[in-house]
Amino acid sequence: MLSRNAANLYWLGRYVERADYLCRLLEATIRLAALPASHGGADGAWESAIRSAAVADRFAASGRRFTEADVGHFLALDPTHPGSIRSCLEMARTNARSLRTALTLETWQAINTAWLELQRFGTEETDPLTLMRLLDTVKQALLAFDGAAHRNQLREATYWFMRLGTSLERADNTARLLDHKYHILLPRTERVGGSLDYFQWTTMLRVVSANTAYRWVYRDSVKPWLVADLLILKPQMPRSLIACYEDIVFYLDRLARERGRPGPANRLALAGLQRLQATSIDELFQEGLHEFLLRFIAQNNALGDAIAEQYLF
Amino acid sequence: MAGAFDEMLGSSPYADRLDPAAVRPVYQAVARWLASASPELLATRRRQAELFFRRIGITFAVYGDPDATERLIPFDIIPRVISAEEWALLEEGLTQRVEALNAFCADVYGPRECLRAGVVPEDLVLRNPQLCWHQLGFRPAGGVWTHVTGIDLVRTDPATWMVLEDNARTPSGVSYMLENREVMLRLAPELVSEELRDGGIRPVETYTDMLLATLKSVAPPGARGEPVVALLTPGLHNSAYYEHSFLADRMGIELVEGSDLFVHDDVLFMRTTAGPQRVDVLYRRVDDAFLDPLVFRPDSLLGVPGLLRAVHAGNLTVANAIGTGIADDKAIYSYMPGIIRFFTGREPILANVPTWRCREPEALAEVLDRMPELVVKQVDGSGGYGMLVGPQATAEELDRFRQRLKAEPHRFIAQPTLALSTCPTLVDSGIAPRHVDLRPFVLMGAHGITIVPGGLTRVALKEGSFVVNSSQGGGTKDTWVMGPGGT
């Protein structure tokens, strides 16, 4: 496979995942903002969304305020913001278009349709109902994309590179989301269910679409340390850091089989997975959750560099 | 234009109800289908076609139009039908013409016999900017220069097809031929199956297999094992990018850009995730001038430094060969009948459109005199740009062109306005005749010439217009060549 195509596929996976994450983040924030300020709602929710998307500096520079209209526009439709859903989809589609030979017709159609549908919403601020509809549309279109890729793409380098990008981006998103909220996850002696932070935790679960998953896994009320456990160390949870790394190791392994031999990226990914497997949530809290997450984000970035190096992007 | 030959009705006029007796035999099934379909149904089908094209991403970039970097070429859902006998004649004529074009290239870059024999004026070739001096003395693999040629044909009466233009560099449009058929099969399966009963529409989908076989047949002497073929595109922003990716996809070859390639020790390689991989045959859709910055335009980022050396070392075949622009030059065009006689020893089967060469003083005088009834073309223009259609030009435009002709007569040729044939076309007011042309695609490999039965029919959607170029609002139609025994 051409190295340029491999890079395009990898970034296609990343952009699609980022757009999906932003949709879920906005949806959860709209819910949270509907609560009174004393429960973490109102305008505090929008500030929090900007921080969870790791775009605080850019947002501040744009001179906007933490309101639904401003944040919603900035994260969803702003064509001048490279981190908006619109920009992510545009880049994903450009990548896909330059790769038409590598994608099946249906995979291409799915991403092309997502882009065409989004364009109907324009580039201006929207009312909340339209924003909800937009998020729903994009989410559905991206599900169609994932489905088409999963069902029809040959299981060879094309698919592995795309999935690799998805998993790496997903790990990054989950880690940043956790790091932004790490202070509310620390174990404290508080009345369960009555905490001010309760809605913050459930919002976080919602962002990674794990509200129901949590109940299935723990069969318990929402407790912050268990939320952290779910999103970091539970392999059953598809957006957890450990699940992402299991996937990354698998995809890199498949690519190595086609290429003939594993490289530095394979070793880095495996080391990362083993570190997660060897740890427990108690140890993480003792070590310091914030420190752990910062280190993880840095290591995840280093892995991205190693992949680019290994496949000559 | 009144009196133009209509391919469905001959000279009978269009009426609200088609008279079955007036319909030419080859169009009977189409006419029945049109008679049975309500206007609403046809309109729905047209909308479906547009949706389908947009979904699969067939778009066409129009240069200089910032609002429409991706635009659809309108597709007309009424197919154009060519009978088996008509096609047999075209096939023979196209084969003859492309053999002559190829022989002309080999001769110009080789012994130059046709110049010495006075078939073409020497200065017209030797001073032609299309002549590539680096290729003098070069002999491509299999003796093939023009691997893919698109010949633009127009029809003026039931028996006469004329060549309007040869495209021997990087002709495009073949993906529309293939996709138009796909869309037609989806939109009007009942019509297609009726035609099947009547003898059958010859398939076009084998084109990409034929193209790949053609490209592999001209692998360079330095190739080892199964030749590796790649398609070189200028990139995503090129107007024909969709076609490039489509063809690479159908042939199962890599779609490469200049930055994916490098030359090492006079061998061309592409950068892959498994390391460098050798390329033997490059089907390039990049113009000569951009192919190799060491030899041609030094500012080109679309090509590969050292590419020409790899070709001359016998390690790489570039298709079409570098320098074929000399054969499809508009100034050379008017000499084609002589070129065909000289190289094939036979009379041309397909006529040329009568052409005034403005470089000749008597011709220039006549052209200046009769300009309002002529089409004037710049010899180095393409895509309908730099062209004057006399009958539709304003007095100012005519004046401006007269000045340009007087200043640089050698840059222009002129042709009569032809009564191009028309085909039934779905327009806002219903079904009406519109002027068409035809571009069949001719493949030439080491083992000879193959032509897929079909081509790209372009249609001028504006009433009375002759300009079919997609960059100027033309549309396309599916082109059906009927099998032998069909109507």
Side-chain angles (χ1 to χ4, degrees):
Chain A
M1 170 181 289
L2 291 177
S3 297
R4 176 174 52 88
N5 286 353
N8 274 337
L9 285 161
Y10 169 83
W11 281 102
L12 169 61
R14 289 198 76 150
Y15 287 131
V16 166
E17 181 64 24
R18 198 173 294 176
D20 183 71
Y21 171 76
L22 288 172
C23 283
R24 292 171 197 280
L25 178 65
L26 278 170
E27 271 187 346
T29 307
I30 291 171
R31 273 188 85 106
L32 183 63
L35 295 171
S38 57
H39 288 71
D43 290 352
W46 292 105
E47 179 172 358
S48 167
I50 285 293
R51 298 199 187 286
S52 301
V55 290
D57 292 347
R58 230 194 139 85
F59 185 80
S62 76
R64 286 181 239 219
R65 290 169 310 117
F66 293 115
T67 62
E68 163 161 352
D70 276 11
V71 174
H73 179 248
F74 186 71
L75 290 184
L77 285 174
D78 188 349
T80 64
H81 173 215
S84 68
I85 293 174
R86 188 180 199 277
S87 298
C88 286
L89 276 187
E90 183 172 13
M91 287 186 280
R93 181 196 179 249
T94 305
N95 278 18
R97 188 160 168 251
S98 72
L99 281 164
R100 275 296 306 276
T101 55
L103 300 179
T104 66
L105 183 62
E106 281 164 353
T107 314
W108 155 251
Q109 279 181 355
I111 192 73
N112 195 34
T113 306
W115 169 241
L116 294 175
E117 298 266 326
L118 182 71
Q119 274 187 310
R120 291 193 322 192
F121 290 92
T123 56
E124 300 302 316
E125 283 181 16
T126 57
D127 59 84
L129 262 180
T130 314
L131 183 61
M132 289 287 270
R133 211 152 41 77
L134 177 155
L135 298 174
D136 222 38
T137 308
V138 174
K139 255 175 36 182
Q140 289 301 327
L142 294 181
L143 283 174
F145 173 79
D146 265 3
H150 179 75
R151 275 177 174 260
N152 301 332
Q153 286 291 143
L154 276 181
R155 293 303 189 262
E156 39 101 54
T158 309
Y159 186 71
W160 306 133
F161 275 116
M162 198 158 58
R163 302 304 306 175
L164 187 59
T166 304
S167 297
L168 209 81
E169 179 68 27
R170 188 173 270 197
D172 187 65
N173 287 335
T174 302
R176 285 182 197 277
L177 177 71
L178 281 166
D179 187 46
H180 165 54
K181 298 283 175 103
Y182 80 95
H183 56 275
I184 59 163
L185 294 174
L186 300 176
R188 278 172 290 180
T189 46
E190 269 195 76
R191 194 158 56 85
V192 172
S195 160
L196 284 187
D197 292 333
Y198 176 84
F199 295 102
Q200 301 269 4
W201 306 328
T202 51
T203 298
M204 194 186 298
L205 287 174
R206 233 180 269 287
V207 172
V208 293
S209 52
N211 221 351
T212 313
Y214 178 94
R215 316 273 173 183
W216 272 88
V217 173
Y218 299 103
R219 305 206 175 276
D220 196 351
S221 56
V222 177
K223 291 172 180 148
W225 55 93
L226 290 183
V227 172
D229 184 54
L230 180 70
L231 296 188
I232 298 173
L233 294 176
K234 275 282 174 281
Q236 301 94 314
M237 174 61 213
R239 281 183 171 78
S240 73
L241 301 187
I242 197 165
C244 291
Y245 265 68
E246 281 183 348
D247 290 345
I248 290 170
V249 167
F250 176 76
Y251 301 140
L252 281 171
D253 180 50
R254 287 302 161 115
L255 284 168
R257 279 196 220 171
E258 286 187 21
R259 188 169 175 261
R261 61 189 191 293
N266 298 67
R267 290 188 282 280
L268 264 183
L270 190 60
L273 176 61
Q274 285 165 344
R275 269 197 304 277
L276 288 168
Q277 283 168 335
T279 195
S280 71
I281 196 68
D282 293 338
E283 283 165 5
L284 282 189
F285 279 122
Q286 278 161 22
E287 178 191 339
L289 185 59
H290 178 55
E291 289 71 21
F292 164 80
L293 289 168
L294 281 185
R295 207 164 49 243
F296 177 88
I297 291 169
Q299 282 162 351
N300 197 46
N301 285 340
L303 176 58
D305 293 344
I307 291 169
E309 177 88 4
Q310 183 162 320
Y311 294 103
L312 313 163
F313 285 3
Chain B
M1 175 174 289
F5 166 66
D6 186 76
E7 298 189 5
M8 178 167 76
L9 294 177
S11 54
S12 309
Y14 276 69
D16 286 344
R17 289 191 61 83
L18 293 172
D19 172 14
V23 174
R24 295 175 65 236
V26 73
Y27 265 91
Q28 287 292 346
V30 171
R32 277 198 298 276
W33 177 67
L34 289 177
S36 69
S38 66
E40 295 77 39
L41 182 65
L42 291 176
T44 309
R45 293 262 163 83
R46 180 160 67 166
R47 279 197 302 277
Q48 284 173 338
E50 173 159 341
L51 190 68
F52 182 74
F53 277 116
R54 209 174 276 285
R55 280 262 158 110
I56 58 181
I58 303 185
T59 54
F60 176 83
V62 180
Y63 292 120
D65 186 353
D67 296 329
T69 50
E70 290 175 33
R71 205 194 53 169
L72 285 181
I73 296 189
F75 170 71
D76 183 66
I77 62 166
I78 306 176
R80 184 215 200 147
V81 193
I82 296 172
S83 74
E85 296 74 33
E86 288 166 347
W87 181 254
L89 174 85
L90 289 180
E91 200 169 25
E92 202 186 340
L94 291 167
T95 304
Q96 180 195 43
R97 191 158 181 114
V98 170
E99 273 171 358
L101 286 168
N102 193 68
F104 177 69
C105 288
D107 189 48
V108 161
Y109 293 110
R112 293 197 195 146
E113 281 168 13
C114 72
L115 300 190
R116 273 182 276 150
V119 175
V120 184
E122 204 165 51
D123 70 308
L124 195 61
V125 171
L126 298 185
R127 288 198 186 158
N128 198 308
Q130 295 299 331
L131 186 74
C132 176
W133 291 91
H134 301 279
Q135 290 288 72
L136 293 180
F138 173 65
R139 295 165 62 89
V144 183
W145 291 78
T146 54
H147 306 84
V148 185
T149 313
I151 307 282
D152 289 351
L153 298 169
V154 294
R155 191 177 193 183
T156 49
D157 62 62
T160 312
W161 296 79
M162 289 184 182
V163 176
L164 193 62
E165 203 171 288
D166 302 294
N167 296 280
R169 285 170 248 189
T170 54
S172 61
V174 77
S175 57
Y176 291 96
M177 171 183 86
L178 298 168
E179 293 287 21
N180 286 355
R181 178 64 52 84
E182 286 298 314
V183 171
M184 214 53 219
L185 291 173
R186 289 198 189 197
L187 289 182
E190 73 279 15
L191 173 59
V192 176
S193 57
E194 182 175 0
E195 288 284 8
L196 276 177
R197 217 171 43 230
D198 289 353
I201 306 157
R202 295 182 65 189
V204 290
E205 65 185 50
T206 50
Y207 176 81
T208 46
D209 287 343
M210 287 158 61
L211 176 58
L212 186 60
T214 299
L215 294 169
K216 284 188 173 175
S217 78
V218 291
R224 281 158 297 185
E226 184 71 0
V228 175
V229 184
L231 195 159
L232 177 66
T233 173
L236 199 52
H237 301 292
N238 184 266
S239 63
Y241 180 77
Y242 170 75
E243 174 158 310
H244 305 160
S245 68
F246 175 89
L247 289 175
D249 191 19
R250 290 293 168 93
M251 289 192 280
I253 63 175
E254 292 291 356
L255 178 67
V256 296
E257 296 177 17
S259 60
D260 297 319
L261 301 172
F262 66 95
V263 173
H264 181 73
D265 275 351
D266 294 346
V267 173
L268 182 70
F269 292 95
M270 53 186 173
R271 293 174 228 273
T272 77
T273 52
Q277 190 188 357
R278 188 181 165 133
V279 178
D280 301 305
V281 181
L282 193 63
Y283 176 37
R284 51 83 177 228
R285 298 293 294 265
V286 171
D287 291 342
D288 285 2
F290 298 95
L291 275 182
D292 184 344
L294 294 185
V295 188
F296 306 111
R297 286 181 60 152
D299 58 339
S300 170
L301 300 173
L302 305 176
V304 194
L307 185 99
L308 194 70
R309 282 184 55 115
V311 172
H312 288 168
N315 292 327
L316 174 68
T317 296
V318 168
N320 292 354
I322 294 169
T324 53
I326 191 66
D328 70 4
D329 185 67
K330 285 196 178 72
I332 301 286
Y333 164 85
S334 63
Y335 296 92
M336 274 309 289
I339 291 173
I340 293 172
R341 279 184 213 105
F342 184 75
F343 288 109
T344 69
R346 294 171 57 204
E347 278 301 304
I349 297 165
L350 296 171
N352 251 33
V353 176
T355 304
W356 286 271
R357 303 161 187 145
C358 300
R359 64 200 298 270
E360 297 169 1
E362 308 91 74
L364 178 64
E366 197 179 345
V367 169
L368 290 172
D369 205 33
R370 295 174 55 188
M371 202 130 132
E373 54 186 286
L374 302 179
V375 177
V376 184
K377 292 176 177 175
Q378 208 169 304
V379 292
D380 50 359
S382 71
Y385 294 104
M387 178 170 134
L388 175 92
V389 182
Q392 286 162 12
T394 62
E396 289 151 67
E397 284 172 323
L398 286 170
D399 243 23
R400 211 174 46 236
F401 254 76
R402 277 204 190 90
Q403 298 310 321
R404 292 180 61 190
L405 248 72
K406 283 183 203 159
E408 299 180 292
H410 61 278
R411 288 187 64 194
F412 295 92
I413 56 169
Q415 294 170 335
T417 358
L418 300 170
L420 300 194
S421 61
T422 54
C423 281
T425 302
L426 186 63
V427 297
D428 290 339
S429 59
I431 298 162
R434 289 289 182 268
H435 297 289
V436 292
D437 78 351
L438 175 68
R439 176 182 288 186
F441 295 89
V442 183
L443 298 175
M444 185 174 202
H447 313 299
I449 285 179
T450 40
I451 308 176
V452 74
L456 174 64
T457 290
R458 297 185 296 178
V459 51
L461 294 171
K462 252 187 282 169
E463 187 170 2
S465 168
F466 293 116
V467 184
V468 295
N469 300 91
S470 44
S471 49
Q472 311 221 353
T476 69
K477 280 171 169 290
D478 189 15
T479 311
W480 292 0
V481 172
M482 306 311 295
T487 42

